[in-house]
Amino acid sequence: MSERKPDSARIRKLLDAYADGELSPAAELEVERALVAHPELSAELERIRELKALLASAAPEPSAEKLEKLSASVAAALESPPAASRRSGRVPGDTPAFRKAFLAIAAVLLLLLLPLGYYSRHRKDAPSAKVEEVEVGEGSGVKVISPEGASYSVIRITTHERDAVSVREIETAEGYSCEVVEDPDSGDAVIRLIPPAEEDDRKE
Amino acid sequence: MPEPDDRTLIKRFLAGDRDALDELLRRYRGEAVRIALSVLHNEDDAFDAAQEAFIKVFRNIHKFGGRSRFSTWLYRIVYNAALDVARKKRRYVNRTEGKGEDQRAGNPADRGEYAPPDDRLARSEKEELVRRCLDELPFKYRVVITLKDIEGLSYDEIAEMLSTSRGNVMSRLYYGRSRLRKMIEARMKR
């Protein structure tokens, strides 16, 4: 009996993904065989499906009136020029002069952060920028922060493998990009800015 | 006549078609608010975050390369906008992993936080219970469960949104749903 426990625990962990239709064909087959052999797993699967159904039907429904107002507010904001948001200080200008100043200030900030262990890897080639990872439990969100404290908008994150290490590249709405390299041993994420020159090299 | 897909609507929006904007908003505004709610617990803040996100999305829509679905791109921006609001308001909920599933006490409505409107009579008590328990789950579980079971995103889409691995999504769903079930069962026994 003790020999079957690890398999049973493994299958239990796969049941949620099976209910979600997210397993590979081989893993799916493994679960289906276990379901036939162990009826208690079928009951477990049924409970997962019941919970999923309940969650789907229990979704909060924001009021239709507020949703209409949301649409109207967005449409109205889009009709005004984007410069309005820059005036409010939320999105800094993107002129070459500003970028130079930004990178210079950010370089100082980065040097201040290094001794704190903020960047534990890629120190020797970490370029200038202040990047902050906002942690909320494990669901961390990556933020790129300007020297003034305004956050840039992350518009795309792509993940790929480089030398067996998971690398996430981040593109911001304001034109800066950076990457997150995940340490395969510790799972820690290290963030660094990709300077335009390096980006060009990688494209070639 | 089939509804136009997102890419068609985006092209029309870029060509100046205001109706295309309305349609994209109508299509995704509910989901956007719900995702923001899963982070923020406060309806007004969730609407603010959703509005901020939509404005960013449509101002930058020419940068949308189409490598992922429009919805995934949008949800990612909504999620970040919600984190931003949370950071500004220090509305971090259940920030610490594994230190008790309910670090708050009492009814969310009593604390001025989000409570669903009570004018929908068809909702069963069990659904209300599920909603309350979901609301009290630690953040990392609540978000993945919302994205999967309420919004119907795939594991890959959730992983992309949250900048994490597919295995992590799978693991969070497993532990999150297990914990949620235990909470529901415990309360139903009372």
Side-chain angles (χ1 to χ4, degrees):
Chain A
M1 186 172 173
S2 59
E3 283 178 9
R4 281 171 52 191
K5 271 188 177 175
D7 282 340
S8 172
R10 193 178 114 71
I11 296 293
R12 278 178 199 282
K13 284 190 177 180
L14 291 177
L15 278 180
D16 282 83
Y18 179 79
D20 291 332
E22 292 270 1
L23 287 181
S24 66
E28 222 172 68
L29 190 63
E30 186 185 352
V31 170
E32 280 164 2
R33 282 181 181 150
L35 287 170
V36 172
H38 305 285
E40 74 276 10
L41 288 176
S42 297
E44 177 75 8
L45 177 63
E46 195 46 44
R47 282 198 291 273
I48 293 168
R49 286 179 170 155
E50 273 175 25
L51 179 63
K52 282 173 61 65
L54 261 178
L55 282 162
S57 61
E61 281 299 329
S63 83
E65 188 187 347
K66 284 187 172 181
L67 288 173
E68 284 302 320
K69 280 185 184 168
L70 171 67
S71 285
S73 303
V74 172
L78 291 172
E79 279 167 13
S80 60
S85 61
R86 292 201 179 113
R87 274 198 302 275
S88 71
R90 298 184 68 83
V91 182
D94 59 355
T95 61
F98 176 86
R99 288 187 185 204
K100 266 188 183 174
F102 166 77
L103 288 173
I105 295 166
V108 175
L109 284 170
L110 182 73
L111 287 171
L112 290 172
L113 285 170
L114 281 175
L116 300 174
Y118 201 79
Y119 294 84
S120 57
R121 290 180 64 195
H122 302 287
R123 287 184 182 186
K124 62 178 184 295
D125 60 350
S128 51
K130 184 187 177 193
V131 182
E132 179 180 299
E133 186 167 35
V134 179
E135 289 185 5
V136 183
E138 214 177 278
S140 57
V142 176
K143 298 281 181 187
V144 182
I145 311 291
S146 79
E148 295 83 5
S151 70
Y152 291 136
S153 317
V154 174
I155 57 171
R156 179 179 299 116
I157 296 192
T158 50
T159 307
H160 60 266
E161 297 288 315
R162 188 193 305 157
D163 301 329
V165 174
S166 175
V167 176
R168 279 166 280 161
E169 291 184 356
I170 301 169
E171 185 187 336
T172 69
E174 292 77 12
Y176 298 102
S177 61
C178 56
E179 70 175 16
V180 179
V181 182
E182 198 168 288
D183 187 317
D185 301 322
S186 67
D188 291 342
V190 178
I191 310 168
R192 69 182 189 120
L193 189 79
I194 304 172
E198 188 179 333
E199 253 188 325
D200 293 343
D201 290 346
R202 284 156 43 138
K203 280 172 189 165
E204 281 170 7
Chain B
M1 186 176 165
E3 287 196 339
D5 61 21
D6 291 348
R7 281 168 202 274
T8 306
L9 288 171
I10 290 166
K11 277 182 192 164
R12 280 172 41 193
F13 168 70
L14 287 169
D17 183 349
R18 166 66 196 266
D19 290 343
L21 169 68
D22 291 341
E23 175 57 23
L24 283 165
L25 282 167
R26 189 192 58 75
R27 203 170 273 188
Y28 291 110
R29 61 194 182 187
E31 287 83 348
V33 171
R34 277 195 294 271
I35 287 169
L37 257 178
S38 75
V39 175
L40 291 162
H41 281 298
N42 178 290
E43 195 179 32
D44 289 340
D45 288 348
F47 270 93
D48 286 348
Q51 180 178 327
E52 184 78 11
F54 274 121
I55 292 168
K56 281 179 183 168
V57 161
F58 288 112
R59 283 204 173 133
N60 291 286
I61 205 160
H62 57 283
K63 295 180 182 173
F64 173 61
R67 280 179 288 182
S68 59
R69 286 164 60 185
F70 171 71
S71 56
T72 311
W73 188 63
L74 166 69
Y75 296 159
R76 167 88 210 176
I77 294 172
V78 170
Y79 176 72
N80 274 292
L83 286 180
D84 223 20
V85 171
R87 192 164 58 95
K88 282 175 194 157
K89 298 207 168 192
R90 297 281 184 264
R91 203 182 286 278
Y92 285 147
V93 181
N94 290 320
R95 180 178 178 140
T96 310
E97 180 189 355
K99 292 194 177 172
E101 51 209 29
D102 187 1
Q103 297 174 349
R104 299 163 300 151
N107 187 312
D110 296 337
R111 300 187 298 271
E113 295 172 357
Y114 177 72
D118 57 5
D119 57 354
R120 286 181 284 270
L121 300 174
R123 282 180 174 167
S124 70
E125 282 182 21
K126 206 169 179 183
E127 284 173 351
E128 288 288 348
L129 178 61
V130 169
R131 240 190 323 270
R132 280 203 302 274
C133 291
L134 178 64
D135 201 43
E136 292 170 11
L137 265 187
F139 174 85
K140 65 176 186 176
Y141 299 132
R142 189 172 71 238
V143 168
V144 289
I145 290 174
T146 299
L147 294 173
K148 180 67 211 169
D149 292 329
I150 296 180
E151 304 308 334
L153 271 64
S154 70
Y155 285 14
D156 287 336
E157 288 171 323
I158 298 170
E160 185 184 338
M161 251 193 76
L162 303 184
S163 302
T164 191
S165 66
R166 183 184 159 86
N168 213 344
V169 171
M170 193 169 155
S171 169
R172 285 184 205 175
L173 277 170
Y174 167 72
Y175 288 110
R177 286 183 186 144
S178 301
R179 197 180 277 211
L180 183 59
R181 270 216 317 271
K182 282 178 191 161
M183 287 167 75
I184 294 167
E185 284 163 9
R187 294 193 188 188
M188 285 177 80
K189 282 179 191 166
R190 286 179 195 169

